[in-house]
Amino acid sequence: MKALVLSGGTGTRLRPFTYSMPKQLIPIAGKPVLRHVLENLRKAAVTDIGIVVDSRDRHIAAALGDGSDLGVRLTYLRQERPLGLAHCVALGRDFLGAEDFVLYLGDTMLPAGIGAPAAEFAARRPAARLVVQKVPDPRRFGVAELDADGAVLRVTEKPDRPRSDLALVGVYFFTAAIHRAVAATGPGPRGEREITDAVQWLITAGAEVRAGEYDGYWRDTGRVEDVLACNRRLLEDVRPAVAGAVDAASRLTGAVVVEAGARVTGSRIEGPALVGAGTVVEDSRVGPYTALGRDCVLRRAGIEDSVTLDGVTIDRVGGLHGSLIGRAARVGPGDGRHRLVVGDDTRIEVAA
């Protein structure tokens, strides 16, 4: 079985970060979302992977290379404009050939992996096998209606009046039958070629389409709040590991990871937390559920429940909470007044 991983899209809900990087490279617990996705695929014995990228493909290629360090083989497929998931399948037709494949949205986090649904698909090989989970507001998702045996009766993209609370989580298993369905369906009301329309075409044509509920943690990391929530969930599973230097004046409590080359002096770190390689933490407090990127500097600072990307400097600023801080950003004190140098779509909250 092959895989097609979708890594394009404008990522408007994660601006301003996505002005300069694809949303799939935002780190969760110290690792880009895409690497989590590729590791899930490798664990499910899927190693031949096509990645659909947009004009910022160089960022993804720089982060992942050919995939050999992850034990997979990557093929990059360029999509010039975001024209829908079914368009991505059509784009990957030559790469996929006649093989079964898994279609995996590159901003979908499933820490428990996809081994169970992959095995269920392989055992029965329906034309399509969908992965679903109950959600409180299905209107934001593709929705599947099932019979008592797990056969899919209908799929609808973001319905105003959902007839089911089962949302598609962003992982789909297909046989080559989907290619005929994709070829037979055109753009929907949103102007995109929807994969739900192709799946509905299979159902109408009498093909076997099944679904199963995913019982693990699932998060679409399309918003800052989702990134932070997912970071909290993954940090809960870390085990203490200190490869960097921690002096006697510092105190680590709980599950704290200090990566190689990092240095902690005169500081308190409360886990679960992660200090990236090469990062310096001096006279600071790092609270629970914080993941610091690589080569950051914290001096007399305080931060918790936050994610910093690589190269961030926080100097003499405390009380940071629930923050997502972009690459090479600098946070420091002023002269008693607020001074802001921020880009488009930035959100700032200050104590009144």
Side-chain angles (χ1 to χ4, degrees):
M1 183 163 59
K2 292 185 175 181
L4 194 64
V5 176
L6 310 188
S7 302
T10 56
T12 55
R13 295 178 297 165
L14 271 172
R15 288 174 179 169
F17 304 97
T18 48
Y19 284 126
S20 58
M21 66 186 298
K23 61 181 178 178
Q24 296 84 4
L25 294 184
I26 296 289
I28 304 287
K31 190 184 306 180
V33 175
L34 262 183
R35 291 187 76 89
H36 290 286
V37 169
L38 297 181
E39 288 175 359
N40 277 355
L41 288 168
R42 185 197 63 220
K43 291 173 184 176
V46 181
T47 58
D48 196 1
I49 301 168
I51 299 190
V52 179
V53 295
D54 59 18
S55 59
R56 294 172 296 177
D57 56 344
R58 68 188 185 281
H59 297 284
I60 292 176
L64 303 178
D66 62 2
S68 56
D69 67 320
L70 285 164
V72 300
R73 182 171 62 254
L74 301 180
T75 299
Y76 293 95
L77 306 167
R78 180 76 173 266
Q79 186 186 41
E80 297 300 333
R81 292 188 297 128
L83 298 175
L85 306 192
H87 179 264
C88 293
V89 173
L91 188 68
R93 180 70 177 88
D94 290 341
F95 164 76
L96 296 167
E99 294 191 40
D100 297 348
F101 69 98
V102 52
L103 180 68
Y104 202 135
L105 272 60
D107 57 359
T108 298
M109 286 294 297
L110 300 166
I114 61 168
E120 292 165 8
F121 169 75
R124 185 159 179 160
R125 288 194 72 239
R129 202 265 186 199
L130 313 180
V131 183
V132 297
Q133 192 173 86
K134 291 182 179 179
V135 296
D137 184 7
R139 293 173 298 176
R140 301 194 303 116
F141 305 93
V143 174
E145 299 173 47
L146 315 184
D147 69 10
D149 189 42
V152 181
L153 304 175
R154 184 181 295 101
V155 288
T156 313
E157 186 66 30
K158 295 181 175 64
D160 292 331
R161 296 182 179 179
R163 297 172 60 174
S164 163
D165 60 357
L166 293 173
L168 306 178
V169 307
V171 176
Y172 312 76
F173 294 88
F174 294 117
T175 67
I178 192 63
H179 297 301
R180 189 158 63 100
V182 166
T185 54
R190 300 193 303 167
E192 298 183 2
R193 296 176 66 182
E194 310 281 7
I195 197 65
T196 46
D197 290 343
V199 172
Q200 185 60 48
W201 188 94
L202 287 174
I203 296 169
T204 303
E208 184 181 17
V209 176
R210 302 191 63 80
E213 286 193 56
Y214 189 76
D215 59 6
Y217 179 86
W218 159 51
R219 199 86 182 201
D220 168 1
T221 56
R223 304 176 303 166
V224 170
E225 293 79 7
D226 298 318
V227 170
L228 295 175
C230 196
N231 185 68
R232 288 192 291 270
R233 171 62 182 79
L234 266 65
L235 285 179
E236 289 176 353
D237 294 333
V238 303
R239 297 180 178 180
V242 178
V246 180
D247 75 353
S250 296
R251 184 174 61 162
L252 310 184
T253 58
V256 177
V257 175
V258 180
E259 294 185 345
R263 180 165 52 89
V264 180
T265 61
S267 298
R268 185 176 71 178
I269 302 180
E270 302 172 43
L274 182 149
V275 179
T279 286
V280 175
V281 181
E282 296 180 352
D283 302 319
S284 297
R285 177 189 175 272
V286 177
Y289 302 109
T290 299
L292 304 177
R294 303 165 72 93
D295 302 316
C296 297
V297 176
L298 272 69
R299 290 193 177 97
R300 295 168 59 187
I303 187 171
E304 66 178 22
D305 190 21
S306 297
V307 173
T308 75
L309 278 65
D310 296 344
V312 168
T313 296
I314 305 174
D315 181 23
R316 291 171 290 165
V317 174
L320 295 176
H321 173 87
S323 300
L324 179 60
I325 304 176
R327 295 175 296 184
R330 301 180 66 86
V331 182
D335 59 1
R337 297 170 295 176
H338 298 301
R339 178 175 184 263
L340 306 178
V341 180
V342 297
D344 297 350
D345 296 297
T346 298
R347 187 178 73 194
I348 297 173
E349 298 176 14
V350 298

